[in-house]
Amino acid sequence: MNPNARLLSAIDEALTVAASNAAASVLARNALRVAMLREDFVAQFWLRLELEGVRTMEESAARRRPLQARLIALVGEAEARRAWTEALEAAISRRTIKRKADAVMGHSAVDLELFADSLQVMLDNIVDQESSPMALRGPQQHGEKDVSELAMQVLEIRSILERLRNAAHTYVLEAEVDTLSGVVPSVVAKGRAFAEGELAKRAPDALAALDMAETNVAIGGVEAGSMAATCCRRAIKALADALYPPGTSVTDDKGVTREMDDKHYRNRLTQFVLDSRGRSHYADLVTSNLTVLGMRLKSLDDLASKGVHAELASEEAEACVAGTWALATELLRIDEQAS
């Protein structure tokens, strides 16, 4: 199944969930899958926030850091901060209770659902007790004010959950329209425009190779897929040549020596990121987990190299091209900030 078909399938599943009037947390999880397939990092942020709860923002900061880094790579730090802030403010607004001096219910969506259900059980028990014949023989244990307050709490939490359901449902509906019309999320479009412009200036050979890769993906078939992957490998190397030209080996602070010659372009790209620390906020985020960076480079390079020696399925070719564009965008954003 190609990426677009997977996305449309995920959208269909989410709309089916919405039509079944499933819990807000269930719909939010389905909407999150749609956001992940679209590489919509802003939507991933606020949907994760709803699922995890706004009270745990500091606790989940480490989990959000890679997401934040990808968004910065696509649109730049200032635009990423603006989008992040708007999404956070919208999430807080959905959880705000006006009658309690703008108190914010910061629990996760699941916790809110459990809380509402438990309060509803308490309310139902009170009503059942006070309407029974036995309750008429003695003083009522709960006044009208207590019952009214409990009912209001249930209503407020249900309202918060309904606002979350509406936000998730609206997002999926908009994603369906955009996907069917060929529109990509704005952050993805901005990242692509940035990468194309920078590659044209810094590494035109890499841009030409990526254009050829996309042409082969559009042609389809295993032979064209293998050619697309080969083009991706050329693009990665051309990008490495532009950002960190071949040179002498480098020894890190742990005494590990790495070759920086022409064929070791993965080492050169990693060293480029390391050398950009302190001058690029995004480089600082990336180098906070160099293992992940190394794994991404290796897996992408292995997939691209596979095109030289074997037939490549169309799904593999599409993933290779998309991954190469993402890598190029991130590395070029580091270069922009460091310069």
Side-chain angles (χ1 to χ4, degrees), residues 51-272:
L51 289 167
E52 296 173 0
V54 298
R55 295 190 311 170
T56 59
M57 284 188 64
E58 291 184 4
E59 299 172 12
S60 61
R63 292 194 298 273
R64 294 197 321 274
R65 192 170 292 118
L67 202 62
Q68 182 183 15
R70 297 293 300 277
L71 183 60
I72 291 173
L74 288 174
V75 299
E77 192 166 356
E79 176 68 13
R81 188 182 299 113
R82 182 198 62 76
W84 219 259
T85 301
E86 287 183 0
L88 174 60
E89 289 174 349
I92 291 176
S93 177
R94 285 190 288 271
R95 293 164 167 272
T96 300
I97 300 175
K98 295 296 182 183
R99 76 181 183 97
K100 291 188 176 182
D102 289 348
V104 177
M105 295 289 288
H107 305 74
S108 69
V110 171
D111 285 344
L112 286 175
E113 289 162 352
L114 293 173
F115 191 26
D117 289 343
S118 63
L119 289 178
Q120 187 65 58
V121 170
M122 291 173 58
L123 181 62
D124 292 343
N125 287 339
I126 292 173
V127 173
D128 289 344
Q129 290 171 8
E130 296 186 351
S131 63
S132 67
M134 292 295 293
L136 298 177
R137 298 174 188 171
Q140 291 186 340
Q141 294 180 339
H142 303 276
E144 292 183 4
K145 184 177 180 180
D146 295 333
V147 175
S148 177
E149 176 64 24
L150 198 56
M152 182 59 70
Q153 288 183 41
V154 173
L155 178 61
E156 287 168 343
I157 297 174
R158 299 284 190 209
S159 296
I160 290 171
L161 290 168
E162 189 59 28
R163 289 196 289 271
L164 169 54
R165 285 190 89 262
N166 288 339
H169 191 193
T170 299
Y171 174 75
V172 174
L173 288 172
E174 292 175 348
E176 181 182 41
V177 173
D178 288 347
T179 302
L180 291 174
S181 59
V183 176
V184 299
S186 60
V187 292
V188 176
K190 289 177 181 177
R192 176 61 177 262
F194 165 78
E196 287 179 341
E198 290 299 306
L199 284 174
K201 292 186 295 185
R202 298 296 311 277
D205 289 346
L207 180 58
L210 279 170
D211 286 342
M212 183 60 70
E214 290 192 322
T215 298
N216 279 281
V217 165
I219 292 172
V222 291
E223 184 176 347
S226 297
M227 181 58 70
T230 301
C231 290
C232 286
R233 191 168 188 267
R234 292 172 184 162
I236 296 171
K237 185 179 184 303
L239 186 60
D241 291 344
L243 297 177
Y244 197 108
T248 58
S249 60
V250 173
T251 302
D252 63 20
D253 52 8
K254 295 181 180 180
V256 178
T257 300
R258 293 181 175 84
E259 297 297 329
M260 298 292 162
D261 55 17
D262 184 69
K263 67 178 181 179
H264 288 90
Y265 50 88
R266 286 200 330 240
N267 286 354
R268 288 190 277 131
L269 286 175
T270 302
Q271 193 62 41
F272 162 74

Side-chain angles (χ1 to χ4, degrees), residues 313-324:
S314 58
E315 290 85 354
E316 292 178 303
E318 289 169 354
C320 189
V321 173
T324 305

